[in-house]
Amino acid sequence: MCSNNTRKTANFKCPHCGAQYLPGEVYMPGQLIGHPEEVVKDSLGKILYEDYQEGREPDMIEHFICDYCDKPFVIEATVTYKTLAEEPEKDFSTQYVSLLD
Ligand SMILES: [Zn+2]
C-alpha cells in the first residue's frame, strides 16, 4: 500500500452524509477533459472547430450513489486552465507530471 499524506488532491463530499471522495473514484479517466476527434485551427492557432465522437466529449457532470449512505447525488466539476511562459533554459527531460488523466 502506498500512502502519501502530503499530497493534497481536490476532493468533494456526499451532500447527505459527508463521506469524502476523490475525483478519480467517480470520473472515468479522460472524462473531464474529453477526447476530441477533430480540431481545426487557423494559422494563428485559434480553434475554429472541434468535434467529438459520441461519449468522448468533456463531461463535467456525474451522477453518483454514495457508497456509505446509498443516496444519489450530482457532482459538477469546474476545470480551469492557467498558462505561464516557460523559461527557455528549463529542463523538461527530468520529470513529467500529468494532473488530469
Ligand atoms: Zn453519503
Side-chain angles (χ1 to χ4, degrees):
M1 183 173 154
C2 180
S3 174
N4 187 348
N5 293 325
T6 60
R7 185 171 161 185
K8 185 67 179 168
T9 305
N11 61 62
F12 50 84
K13 293 178 182 176
C14 169
H16 304 290
C17 73
Q20 293 180 312
Y21 293 94
L22 294 175
E25 294 182 278
V26 173
Y27 287 94
M28 297 296 290
Q31 183 180 3
L32 281 175
I33 58 175
H35 191 278
E37 184 179 37
E38 185 179 7
V39 181
V40 178
K41 300 179 187 180
D42 70 12
S43 60
L44 297 175
K46 181 182 177 184
I47 297 172
L48 303 174
Y49 174 78
E50 62 185 277
D51 190 33
Y52 297 88
Q53 284 184 342
E54 180 142 359
R56 307 293 294 269
E57 56 277 286
D59 187 5
M60 305 292 179
I61 296 176
E62 184 62 54
H63 298 261
F64 190 74
I65 295 176
C66 181
D67 292 337
Y68 297 88
C69 69
D70 285 332
K71 292 179 181 170
F73 65 95
V74 176
I75 309 110
E76 181 176 359
T78 304
V79 178
T80 59
Y81 298 96
K82 181 165 68 172
T83 58
L84 298 168
E86 282 282 1
E87 297 300 319
E89 65 270 17
K90 178 133 183 174
D91 181 8
F92 292 100
S93 64
T94 54
Q95 191 177 25
Y96 175 75
V97 177
S98 176
L99 295 177
L100 287 175
D101 196 345

